[in-house]
Amino acid sequence: MVHGTHNAIEDSRNNDILISINDQLFPRNDAKISVFDSGYLVGDGIWEALRLHHGVLVFLDDHFNRLWTSAASVGMYLPFSKEELTAKVMQTLKANKMTDGVHVRIMVTRGIKKTPSQDPRLTISGPNVVIIPEYKTASKDSKEKGITLFTSTIRRGSPDYLDPRLNCHSKLHEVQALIQAIQAGADEALMLDIHGFVSTCNATNFFIVNKGEVWTSTSKYCMNGITRAKVIEVCKANNIPCFEKDFSLFDVYGADEAFVTGTFGGLTPVVKIDGRQIGEGNYGNVTRNLNRLYEALIENTVNND
């Protein structure tokens, strides 16, 4: 099994899932899209990922607000409302008889092109919408063992290049960073911003714990993570000092704890970076407490839905 924040326990039920493509359901092996799709041709697409927990799509408003903002930023018209997209997702889940422990990936591309080209004016269809629900439970081994990071030479770009807050299909720079990390023997990549400060990881947001304080990067060059925002929220609600600030590898290597956040894995401890042990090299007490508070927030959200 590949070790990292996206480790999932194998589930044979995923072999028979139905995938929604433009409101039509297809068995997993038959779910296909045209080679003239904008997302395939030039990475012209946006996406979101959600968790289904006890029948509730957790933090749905936050995720859809981000999706609609991403669409607006790339000039993509979505011919459906948030309520209509929610209904599409719920219909897909119902068709699969799914109620809990599900990870849902929603991908929206600009549509089919008449010929390979970047030009959006050559799009001859409306947006293609793909909904992939899978039974996915994060591996507890990954959380207890923690992950290792390697600092990539690939930087997070500035907002006038490719805004890191944009959840788009153009992820090649993140893949490059991850490949560097894997080749260096680490699980995932830590990425710096254009000024050399710590930004984020290739697929998750990054935090450190320093003398009881929780630090994460500013929002200037990092992913607009929903889980990141919720961790900051629970810190404030529980009087845990939390700061969005510039900090460097100097601070990281001397940190007491480190962890990453993401929709799928929640909070995952980081035990080693660039070959250096972080703190005690284990799942630290502050990270455990924050994970407990984050999971309590999810339960509270579900119970009040």
Side-chain angles (χ1 to χ4, degrees):
M1 179 185 289
V2 174
H3 186 62
T5 55
H6 288 81
N7 273 11
I9 299 171
E10 291 292 330
D11 196 318
S12 61
R13 292 177 294 178
N14 289 326
N15 297 333
D16 301 314
I17 61 169
L18 296 173
I19 293 172
S20 174
I21 302 178
N22 297 328
D23 299 329
Q24 291 189 330
L25 295 171
F26 299 88
R28 185 186 192 104
N29 292 336
D30 296 328
K32 299 176 177 64
I33 203 158
S34 171
V35 295
F36 288 95
D37 176 72
S38 298
Y40 178 77
L41 289 175
V42 292
D44 187 2
I46 56 177
W47 62 275
E48 274 298 326
L50 305 98
R51 296 290 297 175
L52 180 72
H53 188 67
H54 296 324
V56 175
L57 292 168
V58 181
F59 308 135
L60 179 63
D61 289 343
D62 298 285
H63 283 283
F64 275 9
N65 286 341
R66 186 170 65 178
L67 183 69
W68 256 256
T69 300
S70 293
S73 71
V74 299
M76 184 186 297
Y77 171 68
L78 301 180
F80 44 79
S81 66
K82 294 176 183 177
E83 292 75 19
E84 288 170 331
L85 182 57
T86 300
K88 295 175 190 289
V89 174
M90 296 307 294
Q91 288 165 5
T92 305
L93 293 168
K94 183 178 180 181
N96 283 284
K97 299 179 181 179
M98 291 171 157
T99 58
D100 190 37
V102 177
H103 182 266
V104 183
R105 178 77 170 237
I106 303 168
M107 295 174 286
V108 185
T109 69
R110 198 175 300 273
I112 303 298
K113 290 279 183 24
K114 64 184 298 185
T115 187
S117 172
Q118 294 180 5
D119 196 332
R121 294 170 295 184
L122 295 177
T123 307
I124 58 175
S125 76
N128 284 320
V129 181
V130 176
I131 302 171
I132 303 177
E134 291 181 305
Y135 290 103
K136 278 189 177 180
T137 300
S139 170
K140 291 184 179 179
D141 288 341
S142 291
K143 183 156 288 193
E144 288 300 325
K145 180 181 177 181
I147 63 167
T148 62
L149 301 179
F150 172 80
T151 304
S152 173
T153 61
I154 307 296
R155 300 293 181 96
R156 280 287 180 183
S158 60
D160 60 348
Y161 161 60
L162 181 61
D163 197 313
R165 294 175 296 174
L166 177 61
N167 253 16
C168 66
H169 285 197
S170 302
K171 294 291 183 181
L172 189 56
H173 66 301
E174 293 165 319
V175 173
Q176 287 178 291
L178 178 56
I179 288 172
Q180 278 190 336
I182 293 170
Q183 291 177 337
D187 299 315
E188 297 184 11
L190 182 64
M191 300 176 72
L192 308 181
D193 66 26
I194 60 173
H195 303 294
F197 294 112
V198 172
S199 174
T200 180
C201 295
N202 59 281
T204 53
N205 287 106
F206 180 76
F207 289 76
I208 63 172
V209 179
N210 186 11
K211 296 179 177 59
E213 296 179 350
V214 178
W215 295 5
T216 192
S217 61
T218 70
S219 59
K220 294 178 182 177
Y221 304 102
C222 78
M223 295 182 297
N224 187 21
I226 304 300
T227 309
R228 172 186 183 271
K230 298 304 177 184
V231 168
I232 294 172
E233 180 181 321
V234 298
C235 282
K236 293 179 178 178
N238 291 275
N239 297 315
I240 299 171
C242 183
F243 301 96
E244 298 176 76
K245 59 185 292 184
D246 287 332
F247 59 93
S248 71
L249 290 174
F250 175 89
D251 304 293
V252 170
Y253 296 150
D256 300 317
E257 299 177 32
F259 62 91
V260 296
T261 61
T263 296
F264 173 65
L267 281 70
T268 304
V270 176
V271 297
K272 187 178 290 186
I273 299 174
D274 299 335
R276 294 167 170 85
Q277 178 176 297
I278 303 301
E280 297 298 321
N282 58 15
Y283 192 169
N285 291 333
V286 175
T287 305
R288 283 185 184 275
N289 184 43
L290 286 172
N291 183 70
R292 178 184 61 80
L293 292 171
Y294 170 70
E295 291 182 347
L297 176 63
I298 291 176
E299 293 295 336
N300 185 60
T301 301
V302 170
N303 293 334
N304 291 325
D305 188 89

